[in-house]
Structure formats: structure tokens, C-alpha cells
Amino acid sequence: MSEFIGSIWWLLVSLGVLVTFHEFGHYWVARRCGVKVLRFSIGFGRALWSRRGKDGTEYVVAAIPLGGYVKMLDEREGDVADSELDQAFNRQSVFKRIAIVIAGPLANLLLCVGLFWAMFVIGRPDYAPVVGQAQGIAASAGLHTGDTLLAVGDRDTPTWSEAQLALIPAALDHSDVRLRVRTASGDEVTRQLPLSRLPAQFDERRAVEAIGLTPRHELVPALIGRVVTDQPAWGVLNEGDRITAIDGDPVNSWDDIGPLVQKLGDRGGIAMVEVERKGERLALEIKPARMKHPQTGQAYWGLGLQSARPQEAAKDAILRYGPIDAVPAAIRESAHQANELFAMIGRAFSGRVSVQNTVAGPITIARAANYYAHHGAAWYLSMLAMLSLSLGILNLLPIPILDGGHLLYYLIELVKGSPVSERAMAAGQYVGLALIAGLMGLAFFNDIVNNLVH
């Protein structure tokens, strides 16, 4: 399946699940409150499939899958027979109306917990949170190659993704954070990561890189793919050799080789290059030569080596709980992610982060859904949980036409003792439509910039 078709498919699946649960929340509570539901629609526009249930509700799957709705009996939207007035939504008490409206977002929040529970039970494969290289701020904090990040602040980090997700908010806030680390020698220590030293402006999508951390699994192995003819390494090193040290300095990745060779060339003389070859450890003499970069023309010391094509590192950690332990874990994760979502909204409004990286449209969501689906069920469930949480919380924002806007009207009604006037509600609808249109426009613009321009 191509990326384009796969992205469309997983977008439709994701939206279908989220919208169905959201609208079912409204539907289920409305029925329990005695309100007659006329239509339960997944999507908008022309009906692709419909069926009328024994309860009189028309169940519809429509052509435009970007949402859905539950249409209830309401005197404001048409004539209602006298025998059915008690089933009209507008005739219900304000508390029942609040319950019906809030049920949709709550259904998404409950779905979020359920999806995180399923993710924890299945187990999400990941990489161990082991440092491959530490530079800049990370190195100044005392982090070294081989260190394992056990916790960032108060959050345990059993995998690299957990460590990354904990580091990014602290980086965005330029807030110093405490790390619990297991060193390569096995000792547990505490390090203070001075994220307040980050530049005022940095690429938010590369926050961990800005800190100076490179995970072990992203390092390119120091494995020789090709030896250039008539260059210093020709006839000395072979394809498939793994370089382990240069003149006594250890080599952990291909990126270590360049600086060591430059230092060696500036110093002059012959170096000992230690390699692993077919299970044997060898020490071979090589003298670097002065070369010119083929693209920039810049002179440098080189050996005449090219790296082997890196293979994807094997995942060596898993985030998993038993079915019982997964329940509180899922609740904690949902609460934590909700707190992070509110914090991110606050950062966007205060200008501390770019809205370009906080508001995503359907193209970004589709590509993410396809990406996570191809990484396994647990990864896809975690992404779906985050989408469900976002949908639930965003629908609670006090913006007219959203559930939160209706809740605002009903809270005003409770305070003043009478419903908000139809004129005020109509004005609010226009304001809400303008805000949603602006938000959708921003989302599509970000999609174009982040996915098509870049």
C-alpha cells in the first residue's frame, strides 16, 4: 500500500473511531434522559449508507468523513407533535442538557483511557533510553556515552520515547530539570540539565538535538562500506571492518571518526587504527592524507573511507503492564497528557512556541496515522489515544458551535435563571464559525508548510 493511500485509509479509520465514540456519548445520554434522537450520522453531506432502527433513529454514514452529529427532536428546528413534546431536547432541564452535551467529550476522554490501557497491555516496542553521544548542554550536565536515562524530573522513562516526551516540554519552557541516570558502570546518579541555557529561539521539532543528546540507536555504526582506491586506507582496511579506536581514542560511531582523523592529521605521523574483522581484533598503521571535499572544496585530513549503509537499530525496550496494573497506568498517562496538552495550548497563546508546530491539519494527522500504524498496533493505539484526548479537550473549549460553547450557554442560564436569548446565541454562532474557520485555515496552512513546502 502506497504512503498516500495508506495515509488516507488510516485517517478515515482514525476519524471514524473518534467521531463514532464522541457522537455515541451524546446519543447514549440523550436516550437515557428521555430525548428522542432523529439521526445519528458519522460524516456530513450525502448519505452513503443509512438504516432506521426500531427506536426510530436513522443511522447514517455520510460522504464527508470530517466529523458527525446527533440530531435530536427540538422545537427550535421544526414542528414537534404534542405527544412528543416531553421528548424534545429544548424541553429538558438545564442539567439534562448539560449532561447530554458534555457526554461527547467525556466519551473521548474515556476512550483515551481505554486506548492507553490496550497499548500498555499489548506492549509498545521502543528503544532503550541510552545516550549515544552527549554534547553542549547535555555534556555540561555530566552526561556521557552509555548513560541510561531512568527518569526526567518526576517522570520515569523506561524507553527513549518516554525520555524524549519528558524532555521536550522542559526545553520549551527553558526550565532546568533533574535527571536520574544509570552510568555505563552501573552507578545511579542525579544530574541537573540546565535547559535555561538553551537559545531563546531554537527549532522546537529538534529540541532534544538542541540539548545535545543523540540516542544510541541513531548513531551510525563505525562500519566500513567502501575503501577508496589509492587512498591511505587502501590495502590496509577492508569493507566490513568495524573501527573501534583511532590512536587509542575509542570510536563509538561513524561520527567519531572525522574529528579523530583531523586531530591526527594536524599532529602528523602514523596512527594505529584498531578494527574488528571477522571476530578478530587488529591494530593497523595508517597515515592520513590531505583531501578536498567534493562538494565544498574544503581541505581536510582523510583516510579514504565511506560508511556502510546504516540498518535500522533493533528495538531493545518495551513499555508494557499487566491487565490490572495497566488500569492506573492508563489513567495516569491520560491525566499527564491532558496536562501537557493544556500547557502546550498555553505556550501557543503566550507565544512561547510557534503555532506552526502546535496546530495540525488532516494531512499531518493522516501521515502520522499511517506512520504509527506501520510501527505496530501499540504505537497506533497510543496515537489514537492522543487524538481522542485532543478531540475531547478541544470540544470543551468555550467556543460557540463546539460542545464547550453550548455548556457556556447553559451555565449562563443557570446563573441568570433563564435561557440565553436566540439573538445572543445566533451572534455566538457567527463568532464560533469565524474562530473555527480561522483555526481550520491555520491547520491547513501548517499542513502545506510542514508537509508540502518542507
Side-chain angles (χ1 to χ4, degrees), residues 95-113:
F95 293 106
K96 284 187 176 182
R97 281 178 277 145
I98 287 175
I100 293 169
V101 168
I102 205 172
L106 286 181
N108 282 122
L109 298 180
L110 290 174
L111 176 62
C112 171
V113 175

Side-chain angles (χ1 to χ4, degrees), residues 34-94:
V35 175
K36 183 175 181 179
V37 177
L38 302 178
R39 180 178 297 160
F40 183 116
S41 179
I42 304 303
F44 300 102
R46 186 172 64 87
L48 300 177
W49 174 89
S50 66
R51 183 181 69 84
R52 189 169 298 278
K54 295 180 180 179
D55 55 3
T57 301
E58 182 186 14
Y59 299 91
V60 176
V61 176
I64 304 174
L66 301 178
Y69 63 94
V70 170
K71 183 178 180 181
M72 290 170 272
L73 192 66
D74 195 312
E75 290 178 283
R76 296 167 298 182
E77 298 181 5
D79 295 333
V80 178
D82 292 341
S83 60
E84 294 183 325
L85 285 175
D86 61 327
Q87 300 180 63
F89 176 79
N90 64 292
R91 291 290 183 106
Q92 307 306 310
S93 70
V94 66

Side-chain angles (χ1 to χ4, degrees), residues 203-282:
D203 189 342
E204 299 149 8
R205 293 166 295 185
R206 298 180 177 272
V208 175
E209 184 178 319
I211 295 170
L213 282 174
T214 302
R216 181 180 63 186
H217 63 269
E218 288 186 2
L219 294 178
V220 177
L223 193 65
I224 299 173
R226 179 171 175 258
V227 181
V228 181
T229 306
D230 297 330
Q231 295 297 336
W234 178 254
V236 182
L237 300 179
N238 295 339
E239 295 180 6
D241 286 352
R242 182 184 295 274
I243 300 176
T244 58
I246 295 178
D247 232 23
D249 292 316
V251 172
N252 297 302
S253 73
W254 190 265
D255 293 336
D256 293 337
I257 297 174
L260 291 176
V261 172
Q262 301 315 300
K263 184 171 67 173
L264 180 62
D266 292 338
R267 190 170 66 235
I270 297 174
M272 278 295 203
V273 177
E274 299 175 35
V275 301
E276 289 183 0
R277 178 183 297 169
K278 297 180 179 179
E280 293 185 67
R281 299 180 67 88
L282 305 174

Side-chain angles (χ1 to χ4, degrees), residues 109-158:
L109 298 180
L110 290 174
L111 176 62
C112 171
V113 175
L115 291 169
F116 274 132
W117 176 87
M119 179 204 74
F120 285 132
V121 171
I122 293 172
R124 192 177 71 189
D126 206 335
Y127 299 103
V130 179
V131 176
Q133 284 184 342
Q135 301 172 322
I137 293 173
S140 71
L143 293 174
H144 301 283
T145 297
D147 287 350
T148 301
L149 305 181
L150 302 177
V152 176
D154 296 326
R155 185 169 174 81
D156 290 339
T157 54

Side-chain angles (χ1 to χ4, degrees), residues 105-106 108-110 112-113 116 155 165 169 329-347 382 385-394 396-397:
L106 286 181
N108 282 122
L109 298 180
L110 290 174
C112 171
V113 175
F116 274 132
R155 185 169 174 81
L165 289 173
I331 295 173
R332 287 194 305 269
E333 185 67 15
S334 299
H336 173 77
Q337 295 301 337
N339 182 64
E340 289 299 324
L341 180 58
F342 281 119
M344 189 60 73
I345 293 172
R347 294 184 190 105
S382 67
M386 287 301 303
L387 286 179
S388 188
L389 177 68
S390 300
L391 180 61
I393 289 177
L394 292 178
L396 288 173
L397 294 178

